[in-house]
């Protein structure tokens, strides 16, 4: 059976209505181009949902996929990206040999030449400028074992503080918000909570386009008996918003007033779990005082959300007995990102809706393995959710790796991505190693980013499966093996860990990111305190790395000690913590209302949510949260750039359902590419009339940073605002400027350091062809 | 009574701090976090300064002419290069210390005077000044190794 359903014309497929008493029914979605001779267990890597998938193989080639019926995440279903994205593996334009820049041109080279060059450059730089002249910029798409290897190479081998990922652009706020409220990263609930919940809140999260399979679960609840009520907060009328019981469409940058307004109404109505607040939280009075100013009328004036709609939403959120909330980029990439995301945590804490069936919070991730970038410390965190301010945690890492604790940079938080780029710009980072990502489409203010990568004194290594906008500026390009061509594990946004087995060989000489990092460590001669090679003495396979990782997580919130490659290969994915106490994983965190905030256990001592100033250990001890969660009240601050006479419209950016990230994979799948072939600018009919623009007209959109040309799409958005998807760059079409990030701002949230992609002031002009 | 003298010193210090944050925001516009947070802090200090003026008025008869002696002269030279940011943050930190100590002194006086309004004002402003200091310290710690060891 080559294709069980057409996911391009019918994105979510037929309904199988159900309610909380039953399990979500199974439906196996499959798309193969030939009959496979065997199937290999894996999970999808095209969004953070992590659907269980089997890879169909015939004659050593991938010929298709089918959803895994046994998997707790998707019960057999797959969305359009999952069903069609695998085609990219077989693209004829995969990178198969290393490339080195010679006389300005990238030329084919051997691995020996490429790695020797990188090692020589590294050693020269360390000798002259210390290892702080070397930075790493990784991804949300590698596997857990690869991140852990990278973290050890960077933190114990080189000892550089400069390591982060593009996860900074997509999910840094998820981690920051969870830490700020609960003391540690980690989503409290399970997807199964959706099966029985009474109400669902989506804030700045177009789940219907982002996690299509999770949306199918919600659609099936809506089609069954006792459907949940749906509250959606999103400035655009998205697919998700269309199904809402109440849709609030606030002006850009006003998430805080809306959330404060909702909390105020809920507190005023007394819809509170006083016993829970008393026993398990800190900061109620301050929060109450902060939100008290946000009466429905005031919220309406500032945000444009009608007072009666706000009341209707507060009524649902204040009276439901169970609630699942999800938050994504509409919050994370906007003004006051962490502060706004935390308000959703506050809502659950005030009502005690956590740690039981039917209730949970998803501070969502975007990319498939972003959770592992964070867990493993390949971003601005330390492995195992350890706290950089806690000397004991640093000592634990030093013991695990058998290095001196001072070898591990912990004088300040690990450098965040935007600061890494800034150090490259000012010249103090002189080598940047980019793995599995394409910043020259995804970074804000692309003109500035291009200038940085073009700098003569910056040595750029890019590790990827394809030539991209970014490889153009590389000094060395390393061909990487991808999903399906290597074995490793990764964790979805719901703490569910999957194993993905190697199904086929990588093309040509392409190597896994794991092999590349381990090889670098060997060639650099990194050693532990006793002179043993840092990685290579114990790590021959990714399974060795996984077993080392298990030890790193022992006793931490993300405890993997009860998992193994064998156990993960048995059937469904498994949720952490998985250990002796919970051998099959755990559905809910914080069931007893005890949070990860004890001083010696927490991942952070916290930050000032308005300024980002780190709190000291002494101050934290004085507060002595001791397992209680934090309620944080934060007042409104207007965005830093607002429309004015010259740039009179708001720009907001986002995704389309058929593409992932910068389309390096999905743009190579004919089905997905044909479904969404080009970028566009979406604007309201009122604005279209004002500028004399009709559907399909070419429109020039200009900001203070740059300009793009996009065909117009009229309708489905509030007047005064325009939307451009961020996926489209130049590798397959370079005839006009079209990347949304030509227009966006270089600025970020003070706590999560996530850039503000969701607003910029722009001007429009119709272009006469 | 020297309360007015000290209020004058505090008023002057908050004014200097307001200007210094503005100066640094403007000068380091290419560091986006610096620009924005320093603008915010400048607004905080301006607000503190406005609050002090009322008390300067209230206690003005007792004023003796002396505050200038205590004035600091930071940011005198127009620094540039890799060190400039670190040195500017350094000086901002020193200025916030000056302001913080003034608030401590004033708060003590407010307690003695049983001036509830001044006490509340000092408590509020001192807490915000500490947040300025905390942020500066965090940023200095982050910038220090890179500036001293790597930048040319
Ligand atoms: S929902 Fe996400 S993980 Fe599941 S098939 Fe679609 S892209 Fe893949």
């Amino acid at each position: 059976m080559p294709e069980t359903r057409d996911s391009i014309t019918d994105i979510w497929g037929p309904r199988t209505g159900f309610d909380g008493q039953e399990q979500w029914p199974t439906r196996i979605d499959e798309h193969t181009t030939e009959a496979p001779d065997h199937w290999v267990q894996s999970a999808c890597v095209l969004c953070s949902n992590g659907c269980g998938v089997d890879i169909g193989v015939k004659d050593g080639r991938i010929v298709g996929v089918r959803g895994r019926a046994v998997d707790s995440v998707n019960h057999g279903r797959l969305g359009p990206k999952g069903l069609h994205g695998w085609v990219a593996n077989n693209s004829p334009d995969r990178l198969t040999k290393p490339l080195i820049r010679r006389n300005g041109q990238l030329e084919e080279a051997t691995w020996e030449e490429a790695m020797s060059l990188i090692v020589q450059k590294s050693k020269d730089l360390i000798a002259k400028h210390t290892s702080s002249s070397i930075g790493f910029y990784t991804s949300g798409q590698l596997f857990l074992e690869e991140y852990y290897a990278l973290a050890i190479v960077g933190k114990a081998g080189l000892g550089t503080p400069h390591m982060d990922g593009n996860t900074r652009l997509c999910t840094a706020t998820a981690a920051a918000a969870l830490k700020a409220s609960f003391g540690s990263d980690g989503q409290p609930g399970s997807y199964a909570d959706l099966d029985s919940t009474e109400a669902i809140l989506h804030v700045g999260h177009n789940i219907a386009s982002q996690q299509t399979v999770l949306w199918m679960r919600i659609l099936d609840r809506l089609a069954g008996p006792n459907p949940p009520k749906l509250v959606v907060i999103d400035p655009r009328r998205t697919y998700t918003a269309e199904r809402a019981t109440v849709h609030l469409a606030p002006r850009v940058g006003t998430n805080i007033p809306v959330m404060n307004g909702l909390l105020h109404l809920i507190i005023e109505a007394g819809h509170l779990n006083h016993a829970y607040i008393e026993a398990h939280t800190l900061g109620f009075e301050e929060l109450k005082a902060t939100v008290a100013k946000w009466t429905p009328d005031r919220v309406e004036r500032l945000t444009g959300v009608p007072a009666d709609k706000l009341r209707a939403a507060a009524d649902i959120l204040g009276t439901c007995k169970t609630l699942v909330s999800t938050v994504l980029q509409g919050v994370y990439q906007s003004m006051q990102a962490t502060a706004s995301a935390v308000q959703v945590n506050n809502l659950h804490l005030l009502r005690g809706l956590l740690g039981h069936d039917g209730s949970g919070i998803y501070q969502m991730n975007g990319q498939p393995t972003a959770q592992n970038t964070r867990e493993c410390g390949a971003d601005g965190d330390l492995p195992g959710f350890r706290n950089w301010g806690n000397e004991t945690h640093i000592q634990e890492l030093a013991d695990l790796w058998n290095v001196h604790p001072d070898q591990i940079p912990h004088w300040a938080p690990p450098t965040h991505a935007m600061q890494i780029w800034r150090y490259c710009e000012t010249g103090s980072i002189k080598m940047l190693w980019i793995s599995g990502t394409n910043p020259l489409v995804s970074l804000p203010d692309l003109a500035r980013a291009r200038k940085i990568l073009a700098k003569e004194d910056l040595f750029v290594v890019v590790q990827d499966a394809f030539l991209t906008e970014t490889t153009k500026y590389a000094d060395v390009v390393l061909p990487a093996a991808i999903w399906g061509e290597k074995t490793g594990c990764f964790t979805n946004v719901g703490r569910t860990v999957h194993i993905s087995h190697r199904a086929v060989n990588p093309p040509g000489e392409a190597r896994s990111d794991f092999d590349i990092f381990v090889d670098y460590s060997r060639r650099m001669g990194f050693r532990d305190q006793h002179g043993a090679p840092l990685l290579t003495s114990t790590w021959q396979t990714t399974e060795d790395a996984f077993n080392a990782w298990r030890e790193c997580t022992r006793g931490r919130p993300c405890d993997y000690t009860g998992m193994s490659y064998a156990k993960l290969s048995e059937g469904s994915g498994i949720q952490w913590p998985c250990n002796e106490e919970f051998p099959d994983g755990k559905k809910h965190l914080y069931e007893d209302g005890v949070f990860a905030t004890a001083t010696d256990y927490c991942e952070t001592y916290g930050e000032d949510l308005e300024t980002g100033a780190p709190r000291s250990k002494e101050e934290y001890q004085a507060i002595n949260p001791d397992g209680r969660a934090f309620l944080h009240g934060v007042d409104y601050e207007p965005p830093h750039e607002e429309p004015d006479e010259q740039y009179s419209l708001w720009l907001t950016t986002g995704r389309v359902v058929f593409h992932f990230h910068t389309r390096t994979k999905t743009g190579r799948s004919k089905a997905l590419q044909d479904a969404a072939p080009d970028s566009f600018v979406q604007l309201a009919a009122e604005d279209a009339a004002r500028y004399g623009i009709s559907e399909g007209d070419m429109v020039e959109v200009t900001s203070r940073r740059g300009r793009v040309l996009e065909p117009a799409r009229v309708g489905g958005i509030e007047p005064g605002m325009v939307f451009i998807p961020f996926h489209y760059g130049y590798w397959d079409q370079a005839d006009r400027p079209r990347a949304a990030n030509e227009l966006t701002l270089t600025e970020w949230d003070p706590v999560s350091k996530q850039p503000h992609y969701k607003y910029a002031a722009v001007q429009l002009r119709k272009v006469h062809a | 009574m020297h309360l007015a003298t000290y209020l004058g010193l505090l008023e002057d210090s908050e004014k200097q701090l307001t200007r210094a944050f503005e100066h640094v925001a403007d000068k380091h516009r290419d560091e986006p976090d610096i620009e924005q947070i320093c603008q915010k802090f400048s607004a905080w200090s301006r607000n503190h300064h406005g609050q002090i003026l009322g008390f300067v008025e209230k206690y003005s008869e007792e004023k003796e002419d002396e505050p200038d002696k205590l004035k600091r002269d930071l940011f005198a030279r127009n620094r540039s290069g890799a060190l400039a940011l670190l040195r500017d943050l350094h000086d901002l930190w020193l200025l916030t210390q000056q302001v913080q100590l003034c608030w401590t002194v004033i708060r003590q006086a407010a307690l003695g005077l049983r001036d509830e309004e001044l006490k509340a004002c000092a408590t509020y402003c001192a807490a915000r000044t500490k947040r300025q200091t905390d942020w500066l310290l965090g940023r200095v710690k982050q910038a220090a190794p890179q500036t001293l060891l790597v930048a040319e």
Side-chain angles (χ1 to χ4, degrees), chain A residues 43-53 73-74 77-83 210-216 366 368 657 660:
Chain A
C44 176
V45 283
L46 290 165
C47 88
S48 63
N49 210 49
C51 296
V53 70
V73 168
N74 55 321
R77 287 167 189 73
L78 294 175
K81 281 182 288 183
L83 287 168
Q210 155 76 10
Q211 281 102 352
T212 53
V213 172
L214 198 57
W215 181 240
M216 293 172 201
V657 65
F660 175 65

mmCIF file of all heavy atoms in Angstrom, chain A residues 43-53 73-74 77-83 210-216 366 368 657 660, ligand 1:
data_model
loop_
_atom_site.group_PDB
_atom_site.id
_atom_site.type_symbol
_atom_site.label_atom_id
_atom_site.label_comp_id
_atom_site.label_asym_id
_atom_site.label_seq_id
_atom_site.Cartn_x
_atom_site.Cartn_y
_atom_site.Cartn_z
ATOM 1 N N ALA A 43 12.000 7.422 14.725
ATOM 2 C CA ALA A 43 10.990 8.429 15.046
ATOM 3 C C ALA A 43 11.226 9.596 14.104
ATOM 4 O O ALA A 43 12.321 9.770 13.575
ATOM 5 C CB ALA A 43 11.092 8.881 16.502
ATOM 6 N N CYS A 44 10.190 10.390 13.903
ATOM 7 C CA CYS A 44 10.273 11.475 12.929
ATOM 8 C C CYS A 44 11.094 12.644 13.495
ATOM 9 O O CYS A 44 10.961 12.996 14.660
ATOM 10 C CB CYS A 44 8.871 11.942 12.554
ATOM 11 S SG CYS A 44 8.854 13.361 11.452
ATOM 12 N N VAL A 45 11.923 13.227 12.636
ATOM 13 C CA VAL A 45 12.751 14.367 13.081
ATOM 14 C C VAL A 45 12.353 15.662 12.392
ATOM 15 O O VAL A 45 13.198 16.500 12.117
ATOM 16 C CB VAL A 45 14.255 14.144 12.820
ATOM 17 C CG1 VAL A 45 14.856 13.211 13.822
ATOM 18 C CG2 VAL A 45 14.505 13.680 11.404
ATOM 19 N N LEU A 46 11.078 15.841 12.131
ATOM 20 C CA LEU A 46 10.701 17.075 11.442
ATOM 21 C C LEU A 46 9.873 18.025 12.298
ATOM 22 O O LEU A 46 9.377 19.036 11.811
ATOM 23 C CB LEU A 46 10.038 16.751 10.106
ATOM 24 C CG LEU A 46 11.084 16.192 9.122
ATOM 25 C CD1 LEU A 46 10.442 15.522 7.935
ATOM 26 C CD2 LEU A 46 12.056 17.265 8.655
ATOM 27 N N CYS A 47 9.707 17.686 13.561
ATOM 28 C CA CYS A 47 9.241 18.675 14.535
ATOM 29 C C CYS A 47 9.387 18.072 15.928
ATOM 30 O O CYS A 47 9.752 16.908 16.075
ATOM 31 C CB CYS A 47 7.816 19.162 14.267
ATOM 32 S SG CYS A 47 6.514 18.180 15.012
ATOM 33 N N SER A 48 9.053 18.830 16.947
ATOM 34 C CA SER A 48 9.301 18.403 18.322
ATOM 35 C C SER A 48 8.333 17.337 18.817
ATOM 36 O O SER A 48 8.449 16.856 19.928
ATOM 37 C CB SER A 48 9.206 19.610 19.250
ATOM 38 O OG SER A 48 7.888 20.134 19.202
ATOM 39 N N ASN A 49 7.355 16.973 17.978
ATOM 40 C CA ASN A 49 6.374 15.981 18.426
ATOM 41 C C ASN A 49 6.987 14.596 18.571
ATOM 42 O O ASN A 49 6.593 13.824 19.431
ATOM 43 C CB ASN A 49 5.189 15.939 17.460
ATOM 44 C CG ASN A 49 3.907 15.553 18.159
ATOM 45 O OD1 ASN A 49 3.588 16.123 19.198
ATOM 46 N ND2 ASN A 49 3.196 14.582 17.618
ATOM 47 N N GLY A 50 7.946 14.264 17.678
ATOM 48 C CA GLY A 50 8.640 12.987 17.787
ATOM 49 C C GLY A 50 7.745 11.784 17.577
ATOM 50 O O GLY A 50 7.707 10.856 18.386
ATOM 51 N N CYS A 51 7.033 11.746 16.458
ATOM 52 C CA CYS A 51 6.145 10.615 16.185
ATOM 53 C C CYS A 51 6.973 9.356 15.904
ATOM 54 O O CYS A 51 7.935 9.391 15.140
ATOM 55 C CB CYS A 51 5.285 10.921 14.962
ATOM 56 S SG CYS A 51 4.175 12.316 15.222
ATOM 57 N N GLY A 52 6.533 8.226 16.498
ATOM 58 C CA GLY A 52 7.203 6.958 16.232
ATOM 59 C C GLY A 52 6.963 6.547 14.797
ATOM 60 O O GLY A 52 5.841 6.614 14.287
ATOM 61 N N VAL A 53 8.039 6.127 14.106
ATOM 62 C CA VAL A 53 7.936 5.838 12.684
ATOM 63 C C VAL A 53 8.838 4.644 12.360
ATOM 64 O O VAL A 53 9.854 4.431 13.030
ATOM 65 C CB VAL A 53 8.335 7.102 11.871
ATOM 66 C CG1 VAL A 53 9.804 7.404 11.970
ATOM 67 C CG2 VAL A 53 7.920 7.007 10.434
ATOM 68 N N VAL A 73 3.098 8.378 21.401
ATOM 69 C CA VAL A 73 3.012 9.746 20.907
ATOM 70 C C VAL A 73 1.974 9.871 19.800
ATOM 71 O O VAL A 73 1.134 10.769 19.819
ATOM 72 C CB VAL A 73 4.390 10.232 20.400
ATOM 73 C CG1 VAL A 73 4.265 11.527 19.608
ATOM 74 C CG2 VAL A 73 5.340 10.396 21.563
ATOM 75 N N ASN A 74 2.015 8.983 18.807
ATOM 76 C CA ASN A 74 1.207 9.199 17.606
ATOM 77 C C ASN A 74 0.229 8.082 17.282
ATOM 78 O O ASN A 74 -0.584 8.247 16.371
ATOM 79 C CB ASN A 74 2.121 9.451 16.406
ATOM 80 C CG ASN A 74 3.139 8.356 16.190
ATOM 81 O OD1 ASN A 74 3.696 7.808 17.148
ATOM 82 N ND2 ASN A 74 3.395 8.033 14.948
ATOM 83 N N ARG A 77 -0.102 7.548 13.605
ATOM 84 C CA ARG A 77 -0.344 8.635 12.650
ATOM 85 C C ARG A 77 0.944 9.379 12.277
ATOM 86 O O ARG A 77 1.884 9.453 13.066
ATOM 87 C CB ARG A 77 -1.319 9.653 13.241
ATOM 88 C CG ARG A 77 -2.749 9.167 13.306
ATOM 89 C CD ARG A 77 -3.571 10.096 14.187
ATOM 90 N NE ARG A 77 -4.907 9.567 14.454
ATOM 91 C CZ ARG A 77 -5.159 8.549 15.268
ATOM 92 N NH1 ARG A 77 -4.168 7.940 15.891
ATOM 93 N NH2 ARG A 77 -6.396 8.129 15.458
ATOM 94 N N LEU A 78 0.906 9.955 11.084
ATOM 95 C CA LEU A 78 1.981 10.851 10.652
ATOM 96 C C LEU A 78 1.360 12.019 9.894
ATOM 97 O O LEU A 78 0.287 11.878 9.301
ATOM 98 C CB LEU A 78 2.972 10.121 9.735
ATOM 99 C CG LEU A 78 3.801 8.996 10.370
ATOM 100 C CD1 LEU A 78 4.629 8.295 9.298
ATOM 101 C CD2 LEU A 78 4.702 9.524 11.473
ATOM 102 N N GLY A 79 2.050 13.158 9.943
ATOM 103 C CA GLY A 79 1.578 14.330 9.209
ATOM 104 C C GLY A 79 2.299 14.446 7.872
ATOM 105 O O GLY A 79 3.125 13.604 7.522
ATOM 106 N N PRO A 80 1.991 15.519 7.135
ATOM 107 C CA PRO A 80 2.581 15.673 5.805
ATOM 108 C C PRO A 80 4.114 15.701 5.801
ATOM 109 O O PRO A 80 4.733 15.087 4.926
ATOM 110 C CB PRO A 80 2.012 17.006 5.306
ATOM 111 C CG PRO A 80 1.226 17.608 6.413
ATOM 112 C CD PRO A 80 1.003 16.563 7.445
ATOM 113 N N LYS A 81 4.718 16.385 6.776
ATOM 114 C CA LYS A 81 6.188 16.429 6.779
ATOM 115 C C LYS A 81 6.764 15.044 7.048
ATOM 116 O O LYS A 81 7.718 14.616 6.414
ATOM 117 C CB LYS A 81 6.689 17.423 7.835
ATOM 118 C CG LYS A 81 6.601 18.869 7.380
ATOM 119 C CD LYS A 81 7.160 19.811 8.438
ATOM 120 C CE LYS A 81 6.222 19.901 9.632
ATOM 121 N NZ LYS A 81 6.692 20.865 10.649
ATOM 122 N N GLY A 82 6.173 14.350 8.007
ATOM 123 C CA GLY A 82 6.653 13.004 8.336
ATOM 124 C C GLY A 82 6.502 12.050 7.157
ATOM 125 O O GLY A 82 7.383 11.234 6.881
ATOM 126 N N LEU A 83 5.378 12.160 6.450
ATOM 127 C CA LEU A 83 5.117 11.230 5.353
ATOM 128 C C LEU A 83 5.972 11.523 4.119
ATOM 129 O O LEU A 83 6.237 10.629 3.321
ATOM 130 C CB LEU A 83 3.623 11.277 4.977
ATOM 131 C CG LEU A 83 2.686 10.609 5.987
ATOM 132 C CD1 LEU A 83 1.223 10.961 5.701
ATOM 133 C CD2 LEU A 83 2.863 9.084 5.975
ATOM 134 N N GLN A 210 1.999 23.330 13.282
ATOM 135 C CA GLN A 210 3.316 22.994 13.828
ATOM 136 C C GLN A 210 3.423 21.514 14.169
ATOM 137 O O GLN A 210 4.272 20.815 13.650
ATOM 138 C CB GLN A 210 3.575 23.879 15.052
ATOM 139 C CG GLN A 210 4.538 23.327 16.076
ATOM 140 C CD GLN A 210 5.972 23.417 15.642
ATOM 141 O OE1 GLN A 210 6.292 24.046 14.664
ATOM 142 N NE2 GLN A 210 6.852 22.766 16.377
ATOM 143 N N GLN A 211 2.559 21.041 15.073
ATOM 144 C CA GLN A 211 2.587 19.624 15.442
ATOM 145 C C GLN A 211 1.291 18.997 14.936
ATOM 146 O O GLN A 211 0.347 18.803 15.689
ATOM 147 C CB GLN A 211 2.708 19.445 16.965
ATOM 148 C CG GLN A 211 4.116 19.644 17.487
ATOM 149 C CD GLN A 211 4.319 20.995 18.142
ATOM 150 O OE1 GLN A 211 3.462 21.859 18.099
ATOM 151 N NE2 GLN A 211 5.474 21.169 18.749
ATOM 152 N N THR A 212 1.272 18.679 13.647
ATOM 153 C CA THR A 212 0.006 18.264 13.021
ATOM 154 C C THR A 212 -0.582 17.033 13.702
ATOM 155 O O THR A 212 -1.806 16.909 13.802
ATOM 156 C CB THR A 212 0.201 17.971 11.522
ATOM 157 O OG1 THR A 212 1.269 17.051 11.390
ATOM 158 C CG2 THR A 212 0.509 19.239 10.755
ATOM 159 N N VAL A 213 0.272 16.130 14.154
ATOM 160 C CA VAL A 213 -0.253 14.885 14.729
ATOM 161 C C VAL A 213 -0.865 15.134 16.107
ATOM 162 O O VAL A 213 -1.892 14.544 16.466
ATOM 163 C CB VAL A 213 0.845 13.805 14.766
ATOM 164 C CG1 VAL A 213 0.367 12.573 15.532
ATOM 165 C CG2 VAL A 213 1.240 13.424 13.346
ATOM 166 N N LEU A 214 -0.268 16.031 16.845
ATOM 167 C CA LEU A 214 -0.854 16.367 18.151
ATOM 168 C C LEU A 214 -2.211 17.060 17.949
ATOM 169 O O LEU A 214 -3.155 16.857 18.711
ATOM 170 C CB LEU A 214 0.108 17.274 18.922
ATOM 171 C CG LEU A 214 -0.118 17.376 20.427
ATOM 172 C CD1 LEU A 214 -0.071 16.017 21.085
ATOM 173 C CD2 LEU A 214 0.927 18.291 21.058
ATOM 174 N N TRP A 215 -2.276 17.854 16.912
ATOM 175 C CA TRP A 215 -3.542 18.519 16.572
ATOM 176 C C TRP A 215 -4.609 17.488 16.177
ATOM 177 O O TRP A 215 -5.783 17.647 16.485
ATOM 178 C CB TRP A 215 -3.302 19.543 15.464
ATOM 179 C CG TRP A 215 -4.515 20.320 15.032
ATOM 180 C CD1 TRP A 215 -5.052 20.351 13.775
ATOM 181 C CD2 TRP A 215 -5.340 21.195 15.823
ATOM 182 N NE1 TRP A 215 -6.142 21.186 13.736
ATOM 183 C CE2 TRP A 215 -6.351 21.715 14.984
ATOM 184 C CE3 TRP A 215 -5.308 21.583 17.161
ATOM 185 C CZ2 TRP A 215 -7.333 22.606 15.434
ATOM 186 C CZ3 TRP A 215 -6.284 22.467 17.622
ATOM 187 C CH2 TRP A 215 -7.283 22.966 16.764
ATOM 188 N N MET A 216 -4.190 16.401 15.504
ATOM 189 C CA MET A 216 -5.153 15.334 15.160
ATOM 190 C C MET A 216 -5.782 14.778 16.434
ATOM 191 O O MET A 216 -6.972 14.466 16.467
ATOM 192 C CB MET A 216 -4.447 14.184 14.428
ATOM 193 C CG MET A 216 -3.928 14.536 13.053
ATOM 194 S SD MET A 216 -2.919 13.162 12.406
ATOM 195 C CE MET A 216 -1.941 14.031 11.176
ATOM 196 N N GLY A 366 10.274 23.585 19.266
ATOM 197 C CA GLY A 366 10.049 23.613 17.832
ATOM 198 C C GLY A 366 10.720 22.426 17.175
ATOM 199 O O GLY A 366 10.083 21.570 16.554
ATOM 200 N N PRO A 368 12.978 18.895 16.549
ATOM 201 C CA PRO A 368 12.787 17.531 17.037
ATOM 202 C C PRO A 368 13.665 17.173 18.237
ATOM 203 O O PRO A 368 13.226 16.438 19.114
ATOM 204 C CB PRO A 368 13.157 16.657 15.831
ATOM 205 C CG PRO A 368 13.986 17.537 14.958
ATOM 206 C CD PRO A 368 13.427 18.896 15.146
ATOM 207 N N VAL A 657 2.594 24.945 7.173
ATOM 208 C CA VAL A 657 2.451 23.557 7.628
ATOM 209 C C VAL A 657 3.385 22.597 6.884
ATOM 210 O O VAL A 657 3.827 21.600 7.435
ATOM 211 C CB VAL A 657 0.970 23.111 7.513
ATOM 212 C CG1 VAL A 657 0.504 23.084 6.079
ATOM 213 C CG2 VAL A 657 0.751 21.771 8.176
ATOM 214 N N PHE A 660 9.767 22.709 7.127
ATOM 215 C CA PHE A 660 10.474 22.677 8.389
ATOM 216 C C PHE A 660 11.713 23.560 8.269
ATOM 217 O O PHE A 660 12.481 23.430 7.313
ATOM 218 C CB PHE A 660 10.881 21.235 8.728
ATOM 219 C CG PHE A 660 11.711 21.151 9.961
ATOM 220 C CD1 PHE A 660 11.168 21.509 11.185
ATOM 221 C CD2 PHE A 660 13.038 20.755 9.907
ATOM 222 C CE1 PHE A 660 11.933 21.459 12.330
ATOM 223 C CE2 PHE A 660 13.799 20.702 11.055
ATOM 224 C CZ PHE A 660 13.260 21.054 12.265
HETATM 225 S S1 LIG C 1 3.860 15.890 13.782
HETATM 226 FE FE1 LIG C 1 6.038 16.350 13.706
HETATM 227 S S2 LIG C 1 7.032 14.461 14.339
HETATM 228 FE FE2 LIG C 1 4.921 13.936 13.771
HETATM 229 S S3 LIG C 1 5.018 13.367 11.608
HETATM 230 FE FE3 LIG C 1 4.568 15.559 11.671
HETATM 231 S S4 LIG C 1 6.575 16.529 11.532
HETATM 232 FE FE4 LIG C 1 6.931 14.423 12.109
#
